[in-house]
Amino acid sequence: ANIGLAPWDSFSMGISYHTPLSYGAAHIVTSCLIVAIDLLMREKVGYGTILDAVLVGLFVDFYDRMGIVPDQSNVLLGIAIMLAGLMVMSLGQFFYMSAGLSCGPRDAFLVGLGKRLPKVPIGVVNTLILSVVLCGGWLMGAPIGIGTVVATFGIGLSMQVVFRLVRFEPRGVMHQSLFETTRTWFAPATGEESSAN
């Protein structure tokens, strides 16, 4: 959209300004640190967490090098693209969070904090987290613009709207840890298969 980075993106970009890391590598390092926080909060870490932590940063660097998505030069079009992107992202969060294979590092942190604030809507919890992260990105000199403001308040709002439409409460999902999922792959067959043997 070319109107300012979203909060977590600004945080990773800020790190890349002060270290030899690329933006994608900074995203991966940040993800690993958040996984440690998730574990301290006793949130389950599963295949979804690991894949998100590693692949998002790699794909961002890949798409950036390929130049597949052109930068927008029209501010209004940029805002429209960003808002549409937020809704698509929230729908994607619903799909992958409802699978129960554990959230990505940032969403696991959101759910963990949301469980500790059960009376606060999950979208508001997300906005609080993003506001703090945004301050970190800004202090490190990351580009902040109108899109940053839209993302800071729009991500939580779009999440709240989409989750209400699909009647989804992420705090209620029982996720599988890495070990639980792996164990199901190697568990002996049950039901009709085992009775046939």
Side-chain angles (χ1 to χ4, degrees), residues 17-189:
Y17 288 169
H18 300 281
T19 66
L21 299 172
S22 68
Y23 164 79
H27 186 87
I28 293 170
V29 169
T30 305
S31 295
C32 292
L33 293 173
I34 298 169
V35 167
I37 295 170
D38 295 339
L39 289 169
L40 290 172
M41 295 177 77
R42 299 189 178 181
E43 287 301 310
K44 289 186 177 179
V45 170
Y47 284 98
T49 314
I50 304 303
L51 289 171
D52 183 292
V54 176
L55 294 181
V56 171
L58 293 176
F59 276 112
V60 168
D61 276 349
F62 172 73
Y63 289 133
D64 186 46
R65 275 191 225 106
M66 295 291 289
I68 295 171
V69 182
D71 288 344
Q72 298 303 309
S73 56
N74 183 302
V75 174
L76 291 178
L77 184 58
I79 291 172
I81 288 171
M82 178 171 257
L83 290 174
L86 294 180
M87 298 304 282
V88 170
M89 184 179 73
S90 296
L91 189 59
Q93 284 178 299
F94 158 68
F95 284 122
Y96 99 86
M97 290 170 96
S98 61
L101 296 176
S102 291
C103 298
R106 290 155 188 79
D107 287 332
F109 178 62
L110 166 65
V111 171
L113 193 57
K115 288 176 183 173
R116 287 155 178 79
L117 302 168
K119 295 188 178 184
V120 180
I122 198 74
V124 174
V125 175
N126 200 20
T127 301
L128 293 172
I129 293 169
L130 294 177
S131 298
V132 172
V133 170
L134 171 60
C135 289
W138 176 72
L139 289 171
M140 290 186 283
I144 307 298
I146 189 165
T148 313
V149 176
V150 170
T152 302
F153 297 100
I155 289 172
L157 180 61
S158 66
M159 177 189 291
Q160 200 67 40
V161 168
V162 170
F163 286 5
R164 277 197 184 155
L165 286 173
V166 296
R167 296 187 176 131
F168 177 65
E169 173 49 67
R171 290 175 272 212
V173 176
M174 297 300 294
H175 290 281
Q176 289 184 351
S177 70
L178 200 65
F179 304 109
E180 290 167 334
T181 304
T182 304
R183 193 168 43 235
T184 62
W185 293 345
F186 298 103

